[in-house]
Amino acid sequence: MKLLRVENLKKYFPVRQGFFVQKIVAYIKAVDDVSFEVERGKTFGLVGESGCGKTTVGKTIIRLFDPTSGKIVLEGKDIANLKPSELKPYRTKLQIVFQDPMSSLNPRMTVGQMLSEPLLFHGIVKTREEANKVIAELLKEVGLKPHHIDRYPHQFSGGQRQRLAIARAISVRPHLIVLDEPTSALDVSVQAQIINLLQRLQEELNAGYIFISHDLPLVRYMSDEVAVMYLGKIVEKAPRDELFDHPLHPYTKALLAAAPVPDPKKKRDRKNLIGGQVPSPINRPSGCFFHPRCKFRMPICEREYPPTFALDSSHEVACYLYR
Ligand SMILES: Nc1ncnc2c1ncn2[C@@H]1O[C@H](COP(=O)(O)OP(=O)(O)OP(=O)(O)O)[C@@H](O)[C@H]1O
Ligand SMILES: [Mg+2]
């Protein structure tokens, strides 16, 4: 059974206006008809410019947001429309780690209080003593010390705080973890340690990861499959080497061309660089949303949003060049 199957997922945020009577005047289509799958033990990478909807995909899947429509099939069960009370048994299976651990950790709770909460709430342990034993193990597992249990988040470094956020996420033995730029706030040497930790934990838990990052080489390193998002839609999806070595969508090519080139002797792929900015998700261009920035646009691109063309069973692209 597939760990996660996301089908035609939409998340629209209403834009309200008015002082006494608030009226909905528009929708921000943050996620608009997104479909993909994640298997246990595998990593699904999600990339795209700021504001394209990556975090909203993650938060909607773990049901921090109610989806506007679509299916979120977790181990065979569609959880898209479950009420908060019905979601409780699924909360242990789905976890998220954010970029900034300081804002996701409660500053007034000790590590012990913070980590025992989900363990007690979900009945994984019955007593505080039991919880403390599990927490000591968890802290060791993420590279911290058992005596850290009485400390507060501000007494840790950025990297250590991210280890805490990871400890909290894995405490309930999740099957799927959304990693939303988990290392972007950390310096490079600490990043590498956290990445190693995440890889080791993935093997131990056999967890599926959704890995969101702006660091394309890191996404390539971590992921099995990668999807590129633009204005709420997936424009290309492929196994990671295929996507990075044979990108098809002009937007994917542009993203790769804009990424830093590690080898100074290697030339930058200038012909695929693009200018301009991502249009507003409230007022998206007609046809293909990318056409105003695309050098290869054809008349049809201004009129109709392209369907998804499958080049083979694993490589999909939404672009009329591949019709
Ligand atoms: N709670 C919310 N209410 C209203 N609009 C929101 C909300 N969360 C996100 N948005 C909007 O949805 C769109 C997608 O945002 P999202 O945070 O998912 O992008 P992102 O790809 O994660 O960007 P970044 O790379 O900067 O983290 C943006 O236009 C954003 O302003
Ligand atoms: Mg984000």
Side-chain angles (χ1 to χ4, degrees):
M1 189 167 28
K2 275 267 163 17
L3 169 59
L4 177 76
R5 204 173 71 239
V6 175
E7 273 180 39
N8 309 105
L9 187 68
K10 295 187 184 180
K11 177 62 190 171
Y12 294 178
F13 295 106
V15 181
R16 294 192 168 84
Q17 234 170 46
F19 194 72
F20 291 110
V21 185
Q22 292 243 309
K23 269 204 305 205
I24 294 174
V25 292
Y27 286 94
I28 298 177
K29 296 180 174 173
V31 176
D32 197 11
D33 204 0
V34 159
S35 302
F36 63 89
E37 292 180 342
V38 187
E39 285 179 61
R40 285 203 78 165
K42 301 279 185 202
T43 299
F44 183 76
L46 211 46
V47 300
E49 273 164 302
S50 191
C52 68
K54 305 179 296 295
T55 297
T56 307
V57 168
K59 285 187 173 173
T60 310
I61 287 169
I62 74 152
R63 288 298 318 271
L64 287 178
F65 289 147
D66 289 329
T68 302
S69 65
K71 286 187 184 169
I72 304 166
V73 184
L74 181 72
E75 293 172 345
K77 166 87 179 162
D78 184 5
I79 62 160
N81 301 306
L82 295 186
K83 294 196 269 308
S85 58
E86 299 166 325
L87 273 170
K88 189 180 168 187
Y90 301 96
R91 293 269 180 224
T92 55
K93 298 198 173 160
L94 298 167
Q95 290 291 312
I96 193 163
V97 173
F98 291 107
Q99 168 177 359
D100 176 13
M102 204 50 196
S103 60
S104 61
L105 301 174
N106 186 335
R108 278 179 286 278
M109 277 194 187
T110 64
V111 168
Q113 289 165 336
M114 186 180 78
L115 291 178
S116 56
E117 220 177 33
L119 294 174
L120 291 163
F121 179 75
H122 290 292
I124 293 166
V125 298
K126 297 277 176 295
T127 63
R128 292 237 158 243
E129 292 77 69
E130 257 184 274
N132 287 347
K133 265 194 218 136
V134 174
I135 292 167
E137 282 305 311
L138 272 173
L139 290 173
K140 270 194 267 172
E141 212 171 342
V142 298
L144 294 168
K145 299 275 182 302
H147 69 260
H148 286 147
I149 192 164
D150 294 319
R151 289 203 191 164
Y152 288 89
H154 71 264
Q155 294 172 293
F156 293 93
S157 69
Q160 286 175 320
R161 279 199 289 270
Q162 200 55 306
R163 289 178 193 271
L164 283 176
I166 293 168
R168 187 178 53 184
I170 63 164
S171 66
V172 293
R173 304 279 130 182
H175 295 182
L176 180 85
I177 310 180
V178 177
L179 299 160
D180 191 355
E181 307 193 44
T183 62
S184 318
L186 308 172
D187 65 56
V188 180
S189 62
V190 181
Q191 265 184 22
Q193 294 167 10
I194 297 291
I195 291 300
N196 286 340
L197 171 65
L198 289 171
Q199 287 191 313
R200 180 165 59 72
L201 291 173
Q202 181 169 38
E203 248 172 58
E204 278 175 34
L205 295 166
N206 191 25
Y209 282 175
I210 295 178
F211 189 80
I212 300 171
S213 176
H214 288 272
D215 183 337
L216 297 177
L218 182 59
V219 170
R220 180 172 192 164
Y221 177 71
M222 283 295 283
S223 309
D224 297 285
E225 195 185 11
V226 179
V228 180
M229 282 186 77
Y230 191 74
L231 278 176
K233 288 186 183 285
I234 290 179
V235 296
E236 184 165 3
K237 187 172 67 180
R240 58 106 186 261
D241 287 332
E242 173 71 10
L243 188 104
F244 283 91
D245 293 337
H246 306 288
L248 298 175
H249 199 286
Y251 178 62
T252 310
K253 291 181 182 176
L255 264 189
L256 296 181
V261 182
D263 181 356
K265 277 184 247 129
K266 229 171 140 186
K267 271 233 216 69
R268 187 178 276 288
D269 171 20
R270 288 191 189 280
K271 69 178 191 309
N272 279 313
L273 280 175
I274 47 162
Q277 288 191 339
V278 190
S280 153
I282 301 179
N283 199 355
R284 299 180 299 192
S286 64
C288 171
F289 306 154
F290 187 62
H291 88 256
R293 299 169 85 186
C294 184
K295 283 181 214 160
F296 307 99
R297 67 169 171 262
M298 300 172 279
I300 190 169
C301 307
E302 296 170 28
R303 290 196 311 271
E304 276 170 57
Y305 193 87
T308 301
F309 300 103
L311 276 99
D312 55 55
S313 63
S314 61
H315 197 159
E316 294 177 358
V317 62
C319 174
Y320 283 115
L321 290 173
Y322 303 94
R323 184 168 27 171

